[in-house]
Amino acid sequence: MEFHEILQMNMGNKNLDVLKNIDFIENIKEFGIMQQLYRAAIKEVRTKLEILDEEFQIKYDHSPIHHIEYRLKSPQSIMDKLIQKDVEISTQSIWNNLSDVAGIRVICNYISDIDKIAAFLVRQDDITLIRRNDYIENPKPNGYRSLHLIVAVPIFLSDSTKHVKVEVQIRTIAMDFWASLEHKLKYKTQDEVSKVIRDRLFDCARSITQLDLEMQSIYEAIKADQE
Ligand code: GTP
Ligand code: MG
């Protein structure tokens, strides 16, 4: 018999508040178990990316990944997103409706590294590609560029296997530089940000695209010289 059932038997229905507290504790426990799954999924995908990067470094003397960032979405942001999506607030609903609870950002050195890393990751037997949004091929209207993948990775537990979703954003250092500055506008409304600022950022996005392409081209020229 579960702890809360014993408590419930002993109390009858005398104190509903206590029962509510028990429910609350159960929910927290369930939420904690879910967070552990997402943490495990981040670890798995990070390790896969690091292994790919190390292999490249050894084989081709080139490290495609500059660095990796990751985060578990905070309970507050999870709540905000559920409300924004107008869906139920429960652990099951998080599982069904959110795909970015576990987030990994891969910052690459050159544009050509992005597709390589994405392809090698998605090709792995235990990785399922759920969604691919290529905002490099098709930048957002504000100029945002990045490759977004939603993948599922199996997490092997003592008594079951869970397929956990992870959002992987892959971009160059320059694209990341741009996105961090643009992100500062996130909490401002359209009216609060002048068109001048938005236009300047858009122009920066264009310059950054040129810069990324030129850096790639110089890198290839240097490599060809060395061969
Ligand atoms: P969300 O509901 O925001 O997750 O959007 P979505 O599910 O349609 O996914 P999308 O691929 O558009 O964006 C997911 C994430 O990419 C965001 O949470 C941001 O981290 C990042 N992102 C997307 N668009 C922008 C942008 O215009 N600027 C910046 N700085 N980041 C962006
Ligand atoms: Mg998101």
Side-chain angles (χ1 to χ4, degrees):
M1 192 177 275
E2 295 273 338
F3 172 67
H4 79 270
E5 289 172 315
I6 297 170
L7 254 180
Q8 216 162 336
M9 261 180 53
N10 289 338
M11 291 189 335
N13 275 334
K14 270 180 254 154
N15 193 340
L16 286 173
D17 276 352
V18 176
L19 288 182
K20 264 193 212 151
N21 287 343
I22 294 163
D23 244 16
F24 180 64
I25 290 167
E26 292 271 304
N27 287 342
I28 289 184
K29 233 166 96 181
E30 212 177 89
F31 187 76
I33 291 169
M34 190 196 65
Q35 277 190 312
Q36 192 248 327
L37 279 173
Y38 282 114
R39 264 196 301 271
I42 289 178
K43 259 193 206 166
E44 288 282 357
V45 176
R46 264 182 70 204
T47 304
K48 284 172 178 297
L49 292 163
E50 282 166 8
I51 290 173
L52 282 171
D53 191 50
E54 284 162 20
E55 184 200 350
F56 258 73
Q57 210 161 0
I58 291 169
K59 272 196 185 156
Y60 309 111
D61 197 23
H62 167 63
S63 176
I65 298 177
H66 183 267
H67 71 278
I68 297 175
E69 293 167 6
Y70 54 93
R71 67 100 181 90
L72 194 65
K73 207 177 184 77
S74 70
Q76 181 65 60
S77 301
I78 289 177
M79 189 70 116
D80 292 348
K81 197 68 168 273
L82 291 176
I83 293 168
Q84 183 201 324
K85 288 194 163 208
D86 197 18
V87 293
E88 198 187 282
I89 301 198
S90 69
T91 310
Q92 192 57 45
S93 171
I94 295 171
W95 197 252
N96 295 343
N97 296 305
L98 303 192
S99 48
D100 66 343
V101 176
I104 298 188
R105 190 169 287 157
V106 187
I107 319 295
C108 292
N109 286 302
Y110 300 102
I111 293 191
S112 63
D113 295 325
I114 296 175
D115 277 337
K116 272 187 226 151
I117 287 291
F120 293 139
L121 177 68
V122 165
R123 187 198 285 174
Q124 301 192 1
D125 285 347
D126 56 350
I127 289 278
T128 314
L129 178 65
I130 296 175
R131 200 170 76 203
R132 183 178 193 278
N133 279 341
D134 191 342
Y135 299 123
I136 296 173
E137 200 60 42
N138 305 297
K140 289 202 171 182
N142 60 1
Y144 177 78
R145 285 155 71 243
S146 271
L147 177 63
H148 290 190
L149 308 175
I150 308 291
V151 298
V153 63
I155 300 299
F156 300 97
L157 301 173
S158 55
D159 58 353
S160 61
T161 303
K162 298 271 193 273
H163 294 268
V164 184
K165 279 184 257 177
V166 179
E167 180 181 272
V168 186
Q169 302 180 348
I170 317 176
R171 50 172 78 146
T172 60
I173 301 169
M175 292 174 197
D176 189 53
F177 184 32
W178 184 93
S180 348
L181 179 56
E182 196 274 345
H183 184 76
K184 299 201 188 302
L185 306 181
K186 191 176 171 197
Y187 302 102
K188 297 188 189 290
T189 61
Q190 281 287 94
D191 293 345
E192 281 170 339
V193 184
S194 71
K195 183 164 172 355
V196 178
I197 291 284
R198 275 186 274 124
D199 286 351
R200 285 172 70 189
L201 269 170
F202 187 78
D203 285 345
C204 278
R206 259 211 313 243
S207 311
I208 275 171
T209 306
Q210 283 314 307
L211 182 77
D212 265 338
L213 291 171
E214 180 63 357
M215 292 290 277
Q216 166 91 46
S217 162
I218 297 172
Y219 167 68
E220 272 158 20
I222 293 174
K223 221 170 51 176
D225 261 2
Q226 285 168 345
E227 280 163 13

